[in-house]
Amino acid sequence: MAPLVAGSLAVALLGSTPAEAIGEAGTDTRGQADGTELAASASYSRIKVTQESGPTGGKQGTLSSTDVNWEPPPCWYEPLFTPEQLKNFAETDGSGQVSIRQGWIGSSLWTDHFKDEKDAVNYFGTPATVEGYKNYNIGKKGYFWHGVAPDIASIDDTSLCNRLMFWQNAGEIPDDPNAPTAETLADYAYDKVKIPATEIELKPTTKSTVNLPTWVWLDKGTFQEVKVRAELPNTGLWAETTAKPVALHLNPGTEDAQTFPASGDCEINADGSIGTPYSTGDADKTPPCGIRYLKATNGKPYHLAAGDQPLTRGRITTAAPQAGSSAAPTNRSCASHAWTARWAHTSS
């Protein structure tokens, strides 16, 4: 995309795609966030995600909400620069995004607006003209905030998170519909939860016999909840999302089969086990978790663990700070909702 140059300043616009303005060239030290280096990138979030509990390593899968209307937050605002950090960025780099859809390349654009009090044009937001700042607000306590959109191309509504980088006093959250909340972080954490894959045990271990049940079970402690914490630095906002599996859903791969229980959902016991291990002499008994095939396959076997079945079903709960609380808030429980793991279990 070739910019249209007018004197020492150029602005490139293309529909609702991000715009770039070009001023005096600064030192090209731009990066995402390497050590103490900060950059004005709208695709990079400073939200810290840590797994607080649960198994790690091995094959893992993400979660898919059973609520078809659920989507992760498309964008939000978060603090980026202190006055001193913005001064350093503007005068040594000067290449980055001043909003999620507008980029400034060159130090003069940043120094004009954030140091020399010159107004700036917001091509995609309101107000269309933004008043400038004096000397980066050095001496004041607070942060310059900016919009973050992990997937800007997916946002059709140009009114979302469209403000130019703006000042917010320390200890305050912007009064803006796109300001981050504990719910934002809970959704962000939810989107980052990784659930470990698990192997189920079958008896018989090879092929099933028509009208005789196949027993399915898992040992104690196999299923463990996974807790993920998301925290946005310098805001006092955090949320912990806990994924707790509650059932293993069996799909026999054919309608000519009977599942135990009838729902196909084998509840996970308090000790993390499922079903009851098969013992000699149990062949004619009804398993608490299992499948009975009612019809032969004509040579092609049914696939119990093929594709996206069986699935683990569970519930998500979140804990987050009370609105208006301090950095060490009291927990509150949010409403639970169901989830389904996208990965398949395999039989051992």
Side-chain angles (χ1 to χ4, degrees):
M1 179 174 60
L4 306 175
V5 180
S8 62
L9 175 67
V11 177
L13 301 174
L14 181 61
S16 62
T17 56
E20 289 187 349
I22 304 174
E24 292 180 5
T27 304
D28 189 10
T29 59
R30 182 170 32 168
Q32 294 289 342
D34 183 10
T36 58
E37 181 182 1
L38 295 174
S41 171
S43 62
Y44 176 79
S45 174
R46 298 180 66 220
I47 295 176
K48 295 181 179 180
V49 178
T50 55
Q51 182 170 324
E52 299 289 297
S53 65
T56 59
K59 184 180 178 181
Q60 294 181 318
T62 55
L63 303 181
S64 176
S65 176
T66 56
D67 179 1
V68 296
N69 296 318
W70 183 89
E71 293 181 354
C75 65
W76 57 89
Y77 292 114
E78 59 182 59
L80 177 63
F81 291 130
T82 64
E84 292 76 15
Q85 288 169 337
L86 178 57
K87 179 179 186 297
N88 180 67
F89 170 81
E91 296 179 6
T92 63
D93 184 348
S95 298
Q97 290 175 271
V98 72
S99 76
I100 65 171
R101 298 181 183 275
Q102 193 167 329
W104 286 355
I105 302 175
S107 292
S108 64
L109 293 165
W110 296 88
T111 57
D112 282 353
H113 183 60
F114 292 105
K115 176 187 176 185
D116 300 330
E117 304 181 80
K118 293 183 179 179
D119 293 349
V121 177
N122 185 358
Y123 293 100
F124 294 100
T126 54
T129 302
V130 182
E131 292 185 4
Y133 297 88
K134 182 177 180 179
N135 196 28
Y136 311 104
N137 275 1
I138 288 178
K140 295 183 178 181
K141 293 183 178 180
Y143 292 89
F144 285 95
W145 289 53
H146 73 148
V148 173
D151 185 12
I152 180 63
S154 68
I155 304 177
D156 296 325
D157 186 353
T158 58
S159 69
L160 295 177
C161 307
N162 60 10
R163 296 174 64 179
L164 299 189
M165 192 177 294
F166 60 92
W167 174 259
Q168 193 69 40
N169 291 329
E172 296 180 357
I173 303 297
D175 182 14
D176 188 285
N178 299 126
T181 63
E183 184 178 359
T184 304
L185 294 180
D187 285 346
Y188 191 87
Y190 172 91
D191 207 38
K192 301 297 181 182
V193 171
K194 299 294 183 182
I195 303 296
T198 308
E199 290 188 352
I200 60 175
E201 294 190 55
L202 305 177
K203 193 69 173 184
T205 57
T206 54
K207 61 182 180 180
S208 299
T209 302
V210 172
N211 291 324
L212 288 180
T214 295
W215 289 59
V216 177
W217 74 92
L218 285 163
D219 291 333
K220 296 179 180 179
T222 299
F223 280 98
Q224 302 175 38
E225 66 181 31
V226 176
K227 181 185 292 185
V228 172
R229 180 183 177 94
E231 181 176 1
L232 184 55
N234 305 313
T235 65
L237 293 174
W238 59 268
E240 289 180 346
T241 294
T242 303
K244 183 177 182 178
V246 298
L248 176 72
H249 181 72
L250 301 179
N251 188 327
T254 176
E255 295 182 356
D256 297 314
Q258 182 180 11
T259 58
F260 306 101
S263 66
D265 289 331
C266 299
E267 298 295 323
I268 298 175
N269 303 317
D271 61 4
S273 65
I274 288 180
T276 300
Y278 175 87
S279 299
T280 303
D282 287 344
D284 294 327
K285 295 181 180 179
T286 299
C289 180
I291 294 175
R292 177 187 285 129
Y293 289 100
L294 306 176
K295 186 178 179 180
T297 64
N298 295 323
K300 186 177 181 180
Y302 299 122
H303 292 284
L304 169 62
D308 59 354
Q309 68 269 349
L311 297 175
T312 300
R313 302 193 186 281
R315 303 200 72 81
I316 289 286
T317 57
T318 61
Q322 297 274 9
S325 65
S326 65
T330 302
N331 287 3
R332 65 178 173 86
S333 293
C334 302
S336 301
H337 60 277
W339 56 263
T340 303
R342 289 183 181 140
W343 40 262
H345 292 282
T346 58
S347 59
S348 60

